[in-house]
Amino acid sequence: MATPTSDFDKRKQISVRGIAEVESVANIKKTFNQHLHFTLVKDRNVATPRDYYFALAHTVRDHLVGRWIRTQQYYYEKDPKRVYYLSLEYYMGRSLQNTMINLGIQAACDEALYQLGLDIEELQELEEDAGLGNGGLGRLAACFLDSMATLGLAAYGYGIRYEYGIFDQKIKDGEQIEEPDDWLRFGNPWEKARPEYMLPVNFYGRVEKHERGSRWVDTQVVFAMPYDMPVPGYLNNTVNTLRLWSAKSPHDFSLKFFNNGDYIQAVLDRNNAENISRVLYPNDNFFSGKELRLKQEYFMVAASLQDIIRRFKSAKFGCRDPVRTSFDSFPDKVAIQLNDTHPSMAIPELMRILIDIEGLTWEKAWQVTVKTCAYTNHTVLPEALERWTVAQLEHLLPRHLEIIYHINFLHLQEVSKKFPGDTDRLRRMSCVEEEGDKRINMAYLSIVGSHAINGVAALHSELLKTTVFRDFYEMLPERFQNKTNGITPRRWLLLCNPSLADVITDKIGDGWVRDLSELAKLKPLANDQQFLRRLLQIKQENKMRLAIHIKEKYNVTVNPGSMFDIQVKRIHEYKRQLLNCLHIITMYNRLKRNPNLPFTPRTVMVGGKAAPGYHIAKQIIKLICAVARVVNNDPIIGDRLKVIYLENYRVSLAEKIIPAADLSEQISTAGTEASGKKPTLSGISVHDS
């Protein structure tokens, strides 16, 4: 290869996107046209832009499939310890561009589409966000999957394939209107249904006692059908799997319906079972206590554990016959991470499987369960902690309630041994809350049944030890640790801010894409004026692009030279968007009183969704929109202060906003959340409370 001479040639050679090879471009064009013809059954005369998007998505997926199969073959043959991440939420966003980047084929796809006369950026905009999460908890899960694949870990995500994700937010007359997020209406090119791995999940019924123990009988069965989504690592040929479960009704009909001639009713009743995976609950910081939510949690856990145990027993690829009969090595081969308390029914469910089905003693089953499970706590807010009533559990999962009672009985015995005579501590540490309606504290159950408990930031982890879980920390200090939330630099810098990514790579190489600590190599450039001017130029280009988007979307002209001040997160009192709004009003009043006041022009953007039943949060949105109408239409203020409410904030919108922002408002009540990493990665000042 010829040695590059000019700066431009050097930049091209080390650009993270790489140079498109002629052979790759030709292959992509050929595959694209084949998918348009054979998969979508269209030609260029009648194909729509969405058809072109699907043809491109299938073309990119073709590059994944061989790696995906080989990765799974490798795991079965080498039988490494596997990580299973259980989460009720995955805020994945779009997959097309992320997949092209991680496979190293973005430049070739860009060039192929250009030669075909198509705009790849327009096609990328047609992809629906996979909005299977509310906010930080779901986005953390998505980033974890990307990072584990990039590290080459044998990791699997498990969740629910919601038919409707987080609602679409419309702002009409300044008020939030919720519309269903029918993200699957055009199909999902990234998923593969796996009906051969469909599994039964039981509900209701009763517990029968017999000489060998207990048996859960007379249950209602719902089937869990898995849909697999690929999770590619960055340029390492690893493709892991996110397996999402969809609820399916049992195949058989009740004969009485046929005898009564009411066949239609029999078909309609099947919907009751399938409602389990119909919709994502939109409140992630408020415990609602609805039975459907409990059903969702157990449905995901029960299906996932059956799948995990099947895989544990089958040590070699292609063999579905059990080869492992002992569970002694289970914790050495299986790690289950509970993403908050939503999957905490995994603890009693694993105990039920090991005791009632696999025939282990209680002591052995408990040892295996605790060594296998670990728990991530996301919040110290009391209203967000899950507490299911005993009546609900007794009705829906009677055997699990028995197991929880026995776990709690043995747990309180241990508390008594360590703190003899401290009856108030017994009451405080019991998983069963006796006041009012009897409830099971799922966070306490998760602590008792896990070998490791972590918060998601250093301050948060300390607060867990000194406030909500203080008693447990005093008893089990070795279990508590901190794991500061991370983000994937592939999506949040390489994908959404490619110009910045290229200039960083030009200076320090591309090692930072896998290891963010490499960015420390930029420190000597802190006073390099040429480098700093280039950074400012990139920021200004990003701001101009966002200003064009705002003009097209909201018909508001903003000054690209102004400070772009953003606060983008769910709308909640503790996140203090109201405080931000009061600051906007204060700035406006100061400018009205003294139009000649020295003032840095500022464009304030607020984005986020309020839970549909959260009245105060919706009123905060209404207030911000009312303030925006006044500010944006005041000729005295002009372009020195503008206020934009960003409708339907989601992952794909964040990818546009964050690279253009100058200031990110992280002003939540101290100690309530870990946030602000994505803006920091794009070189934004973070205003922290």
Side-chain angles (χ1 to χ4, degrees):
M1 180 185 285
T3 304
T5 53
S6 70
D7 284 346
F8 177 74
D9 286 338
K10 287 177 183 174
R11 265 201 304 278
K12 269 182 32 174
Q13 189 187 54
I14 62 174
S15 168
V16 188
R17 289 169 181 254
I19 307 302
E21 296 176 4
V22 175
E23 186 181 348
S24 298
V25 172
N27 285 337
I28 285 168
K29 285 166 66 179
K30 180 181 177 182
T31 308
F32 178 89
N33 285 322
Q34 285 177 336
H35 276 298
L36 191 64
H37 188 81
F38 293 108
T39 307
L40 297 160
V41 197
K42 293 281 185 78
D43 64 24
R44 293 292 295 269
N45 296 315
V46 295
T48 65
R50 194 172 299 280
D51 293 323
Y52 293 137
Y53 157 70
F54 274 99
L56 177 59
H58 284 293
T59 300
V60 172
R61 198 181 83 157
D62 285 355
H63 284 76
L64 271 177
V65 170
R67 294 172 171 90
W68 199 1
I69 291 171
R70 285 196 298 275
T71 298
Q72 302 311 312
Q73 285 176 336
Y74 179 81
Y75 292 161
Y76 271 90
E77 288 162 5
K78 299 298 182 184
D79 194 28
K81 184 171 185 174
R82 291 169 166 88
V83 180
Y84 295 103
Y85 198 79
L86 270 56
S87 177
L88 237 64
E89 299 184 21
Y90 289 94
Y91 211 165
M92 301 298 286
R94 293 170 174 166
S95 295
L96 176 59
Q97 191 180 1
N98 186 68
T99 303
M100 290 191 294
I101 286 172
N102 280 8
L103 294 182
I105 60 171
Q106 188 176 18
C109 289
D110 279 350
E111 180 61 27
L113 270 289
Y114 174 76
Q115 291 182 17
L116 289 167
L118 297 169
D119 185 338
I120 195 168
E121 289 186 5
E122 284 183 11
L123 301 189
Q124 286 168 181
E125 286 299 313
L126 292 171
E127 182 175 3
E128 300 282 341
D129 275 54
L132 306 183
N134 282 281
L137 180 147
R139 187 54 232 170
L140 172 69
C143 284
F144 252 123
L145 294 185
D146 180 277
S147 295
M148 289 190 290
T150 297
L151 289 168
L153 297 177
Y156 301 75
Y158 280 106
I160 293 180
R161 180 183 180 264
Y162 300 107
E163 196 174 317
Y164 296 93
I166 185 66
F167 61 86
D168 279 340
Q169 179 195 55
K170 304 293 181 193
I171 303 295
K172 293 182 181 174
D173 299 323
E175 298 195 35
Q176 172 180 292
I177 306 295
E178 301 92 23
E179 293 184 356
D181 170 35
D182 192 6
W183 72 290
L184 293 169
R185 65 186 175 279
F186 297 112
N188 178 8
W190 304 105
E191 68 181 11
K192 175 67 180 80
R194 302 285 193 189
E196 69 274 22
Y197 291 111
M198 192 148 63
L199 295 167
V201 176
N202 297 283
F203 293 101
Y204 305 109
R206 58 190 177 83
V207 180
E208 253 184 16
K209 302 291 183 185
H210 54 90
E211 64 278 3
R212 289 194 304 265
S214 298
R215 192 166 56 212
W216 188 18
V217 297
D218 297 337
T219 57
Q220 292 182 20
V221 177
V222 175
F223 283 99
M225 179 152 144
Y227 287 78
D228 288 353
M229 291 179 67
V231 182
Y234 179 69
L235 300 183
N236 65 352
N237 292 324
T238 296
V239 181
N240 284 340
T241 302
L242 169 60
R243 177 160 285 184
L244 301 175
W245 301 102
S246 181
K248 301 293 178 188
S249 177
H251 301 299
D252 54 328
F253 290 110
S254 174
L255 274 176
K256 70 176 183 181
F257 286 124
F258 289 103
N259 295 337
N260 297 338
D262 201 351
Y263 170 75
I264 299 299
Q265 187 60 45
V267 175
L268 293 177
D269 283 351
R270 293 165 64 90
N271 284 336
N272 292 333
E274 296 178 3
N275 282 339
I276 291 173
S277 58
R278 194 79 70 200
V279 64
L280 167 73
Y281 265 84
N283 301 352
D284 76 336
N285 254 314
F286 181 77
F287 175 59
S288 60
K290 298 285 197 310
E291 184 180 274
L292 177 60
R293 176 69 164 184
L294 179 55
K295 273 188 171 180
Q296 288 181 338
E297 293 181 1
Y298 178 68
F299 170 78
M300 187 273 284
V301 157
S304 301
L305 281 174
Q306 288 180 72
D307 207 42
I308 289 167
I309 289 170
R310 173 195 60 78
R311 195 176 288 111
F312 166 74
K313 288 182 172 181
S314 303
K316 192 176 178 185
F317 177 74
C319 173
R320 293 181 63 183
D321 298 320
V323 293
R324 277 199 185 103
T325 53
S326 168
F327 280 82
D328 290 346
S329 63
F330 193 77
D332 300 322
K333 292 295 182 183
V334 174
I336 296 175
Q337 189 70 35
L338 309 177
N339 193 25
D340 215 48
T341 57
H342 310 144
S344 57
M345 287 304 296
I347 292 165
E349 172 65 4
L350 183 54
M351 288 294 289
R352 184 190 71 83
I353 292 170
L354 294 177
I355 295 168
D356 295 358
I357 298 172
E358 300 295 341
L360 272 65
T361 64
W362 178 280
E363 291 72 19
K364 181 62 181 174
W366 185 242
Q367 184 184 31
V368 167
T369 298
V370 172
K371 282 185 176 179
T372 302
C373 294
Y375 162 53
T376 297
N377 173 277
H378 279 266
T379 181
V380 294
L381 297 176
E383 66 268 25
L385 297 175
E386 290 191 305
R387 294 174 167 91
W388 294 107
T389 67
V390 165
Q392 283 175 310
L393 286 166
E394 194 168 32
H395 178 57
L396 195 68
L397 302 167
R399 176 62 180 136
H400 298 76
L401 181 62
E402 286 188 353
I403 291 169
I404 291 168
Y405 272 148
H406 196 59
I407 290 170
N408 192 52
F409 170 72
L410 296 174
H411 159 61
L412 292 181
Q413 282 190 332
E414 292 300 313
V415 175
S416 292
K417 285 179 193 172
K418 188 146 189 177
F419 304 98
D422 193 343
T423 53
D424 193 52
R425 183 181 289 269
L426 283 175
R427 177 190 59 78
R428 294 197 309 267
M429 293 185 70
S430 174
C431 297
V432 182
E433 298 178 350
E434 304 284 351
E435 296 86 6
D437 291 339
K438 259 193 184 182
R439 293 178 179 272
I440 305 299
N441 188 312
M442 303 309 286
Y444 290 3
L445 178 64
S446 299
I447 293 170
V448 173
S450 299
H451 66 274
I453 299 100
N454 72 280
V456 291
L459 175 60
H460 173 217
S461 297
E462 285 305 308
L463 285 170
L464 294 182
K465 293 189 283 190
T466 57
T467 59
V468 283
F469 302 145
R470 178 179 175 177
D471 290 327
F472 288 90
Y473 175 66
E474 289 173 356
M475 181 172 171
L476 303 163
E478 71 284 354
R479 294 191 185 184
F480 286 79
Q481 52 183 256
N482 175 59
K483 292 288 182 290
T484 298
N485 266 4
I487 56 169
T488 165
R490 271 76 58 188
R491 183 178 293 268
W492 296 112
L493 182 46
L494 187 54
L495 182 154
C496 73
N497 205 343
S499 299
L500 180 59
D502 278 350
V503 78
I504 291 171
T505 300
D506 189 19
K507 293 295 184 183
I508 64 169
D510 64 358
W512 63 267
V513 182
R514 289 188 180 86
D515 180 5
L516 273 179
S517 66
E518 291 276 307
L519 292 180
K521 292 178 180 178
L522 291 172
K523 284 180 180 178
L525 301 171
N527 297 311
D528 184 326
Q529 294 305 309
Q530 185 181 355
F531 179 66
L532 296 177
R533 277 196 300 274
R534 179 66 185 129
L535 295 185
L536 288 172
Q537 181 187 348
I538 290 166
K539 176 65 72 176
Q540 196 59 30
E541 289 167 358
N542 291 338
K543 291 172 74 172
M544 290 174 73
R545 271 194 293 273
L546 182 57
I548 291 167
H549 173 78
I550 289 170
K551 177 65 176 174
E552 291 172 351
K553 176 77 176 171
Y554 306 105
N555 196 30
V556 176
T557 302
V558 301
N559 175 10
S562 66
M563 179 197 297
F564 280 15
D565 175 349
I566 67 167
Q567 188 180 21
V568 284
K569 51 187 69 211
R570 287 177 306 100
I571 309 301
H572 199 289
E573 288 162 279
Y574 85 82
K575 293 180 184 286
R576 302 205 288 195
Q577 284 92 353
L578 183 57
L579 181 63
N580 194 9
C581 187
L582 293 173
H583 181 233
I584 295 167
I585 294 168
T586 301
M587 289 189 290
Y588 174 76
N589 287 337
R590 285 173 181 165
L591 284 171
K592 285 290 281 185
R593 275 197 306 271
N594 182 4
N596 298 317
L597 184 76
F599 184 83
T600 301
R602 187 184 297 234
T603 300
V604 182
M605 301 175 222
V606 181
K609 297 175 182 180
Y614 194 173
H615 177 69
I616 292 177
K618 288 179 143 183
Q619 291 297 103
I620 291 170
I621 292 175
K622 189 174 181 180
L623 175 62
I624 294 169
C625 291
V627 170
R629 274 197 303 275
V630 172
V631 172
N632 296 344
N633 293 295
D634 192 324
I636 295 172
I637 302 300
D639 66 358
R640 289 196 292 170
L641 182 62
K642 293 289 184 187
V643 182
I644 307 292
Y645 196 89
L646 299 161
E647 183 180 77
N648 202 34
Y649 181 67
R650 57 202 184 281
V651 174
S652 58
L653 185 54
E655 291 165 6
K656 292 184 178 72
I657 296 160
I658 289 170
D662 295 302
L663 175 66
S664 176
E665 303 278 358
Q666 304 296 337
I667 54 174
S668 303
T669 309
T672 54
E673 68 176 11
S675 57
K677 294 169 189 64
K678 293 186 285 292
T680 307
L681 198 55
S682 269
I684 301 171
S685 297
V686 175
H687 180 192
D688 199 344
S689 58

